[in-house]
């Protein structure tokens, strides 16, 4: 996913991020939501660690849903059956994954 003028955020993986992409994103007015990496011989500052933790909390909530899809429901590969059918299956599985993650809250209510 590259930096585009139409985007508001840029949640790239830090393995693919570099300073050039970060400068382009800031020039385009895009929120750079990529966790900071320490340079060789220079540890992260306290502000960078706080920023990484803030973005990590958001990312963890999203990634947990995909863990449920893959591990609990076994949805690792998609068979091509048409865009509409695959889309419907994924939306149904994502709804079930959200219910799976909220099962304790729902059971106590």
């Amino acid at each position: 996913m590259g930096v585009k003028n139409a985007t508001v955020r840029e949640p790239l993986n830090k393995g693919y991020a570099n300073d050039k992409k970060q400068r382009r994103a800031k020039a385009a007015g895009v929120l750079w939501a990529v966790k900071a990496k320490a340079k060789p011989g220079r540890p992260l500052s306290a502000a960078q660690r706080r920023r990484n933790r803030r973005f990590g909390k958001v990312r963890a909530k999203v990634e947990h849903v995909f863990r449920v899809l893959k591990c609990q429901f076994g949805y690792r590969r998609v068979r091509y059956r048409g865009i509409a059918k695959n889309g419907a299956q994924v939306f149904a599985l994502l709804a079930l994954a959200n219910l799976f993650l909220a099962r304790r809250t729902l059971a106590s209510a």
Side-chain angles (χ1 to χ4, degrees):
M1 175 193 288
V3 177
K4 296 178 183 140
N5 291 334
T7 59
V8 180
R9 302 172 13 141
E10 188 67 21
L12 285 174
N13 204 342
K14 70 179 178 180
Y16 301 106
N18 57 31
D19 293 335
K20 182 180 174 184
K21 288 181 182 178
Q22 184 176 6
R23 285 192 302 273
R24 273 193 359 221
K26 286 188 179 185
V30 175
L31 171 66
W32 186 255
V34 180
K35 294 172 92 175
K37 282 198 311 191
K39 304 282 186 210
R42 285 185 12 202
L44 290 175
S45 68
Q48 286 174 319
R49 283 197 306 273
R50 281 194 308 271
R51 184 178 174 278
N52 281 354
R53 182 171 289 269
R54 191 175 71 232
F55 286 128
K57 287 179 182 179
V58 173
R59 187 176 189 133
K61 289 179 182 174
V62 173
E63 295 292 335
H64 277 74
V65 175
F66 290 103
R67 183 205 59 87
V68 170
L69 274 181
K70 291 173 84 174
C71 298
Q72 302 301 122
F73 300 152
Y75 193 75
R76 293 188 179 268
R77 294 195 181 115
V78 178
R79 282 187 13 225
Y80 185 74
R81 295 177 293 171
I83 299 294
K85 287 182 183 178
N86 283 346
Q89 183 183 19
V90 167
F91 287 136
L93 285 173
L94 287 171
L96 287 172
N98 284 329
L99 289 173
F100 183 84
L101 290 171
R103 67 190 182 279
R104 290 189 186 99
T105 307
L106 294 172
S108 65

